[in-house]
Amino acid sequence: MDVQPKLILASRNQVDLSIGRPILIAELAEYRKTFPLNSAVFSIGRHPSNDLVIQDRHVSRYHATIAWLKLTNKEQKDESCAYWIIDGKGQEKRSRNGIIINGTKKLLHRLQSGDSIFIGKSIQITYRCINHTREENSQLNTIYYL
């Protein structure tokens, strides 16, 4: 019998931060900004209720969701948590134009530091886990106007 692993939403804690601090670096036409991932769910899209609002006609109202998920497998006792990116709001509501991760269109992807996410025609978002140094932490919440 084939047992499929399951992804479930998990809560974040201090131990999770030992791998580094996860951030998104969004590069839009007019600026570049970093967003720390401080919660279990981070939304991207055109609608003003999103955490990252992108005003672009090629971006859906709820284009992508980044969630802290636990991968569970009944055959393994090991459960691991990581940020995953999901197209739209999941199976019920996909984005119109999809998401491209490192050059490949995907519905779901486990994020790793350095991954490039492309949304719409020209929006690039980079996922990074940064170390806890003073220099790198000073880059958080910085806006760079291009």
Side-chain angles (χ1 to χ4, degrees), residues 61-80:
R61 286 179 297 173
Y62 301 99
H63 201 96
T65 304
I66 296 176
W68 184 250
L69 300 174
K70 183 187 297 186
L71 178 64
T72 61
N73 189 337
K74 289 183 180 179
E75 291 180 355
Q76 297 176 343
K77 293 185 180 181
D78 183 29
E79 295 181 339
S80 61

Side-chain angles (χ1 to χ4, degrees), residues 23-43:
I23 64 168
L24 296 176
I25 304 167
E27 297 183 44
L28 289 82
E30 62 279 357
Y31 67 89
R32 182 172 138 189
K33 183 175 180 181
T34 59
F35 295 86
L37 292 174
N38 295 325
S39 60
V41 178
F42 186 91
S43 59

Side-chain angles (χ1 to χ4, degrees), residues 6 9 13-14 24 31-33 55 59 63-64 66 72 79-81 85 87 94 102 110 114 118 123-124 131 135 141:
K6 288 185 181 181
L9 188 62
N13 58 42
Q14 287 302 108
L24 296 176
Y31 67 89
R32 182 172 138 189
K33 183 175 180 181
Q55 294 301 327
V59 174
H63 201 96
I66 296 176
T72 61
E79 295 181 339
S80 61
C81 292
I85 187 165
D87 180 29
R94 301 271 186 227
N102 302 323
R110 182 180 181 154
F118 290 92
I123 294 101
Q124 179 179 358
N131 294 327
E135 179 183 329
N141 292 326

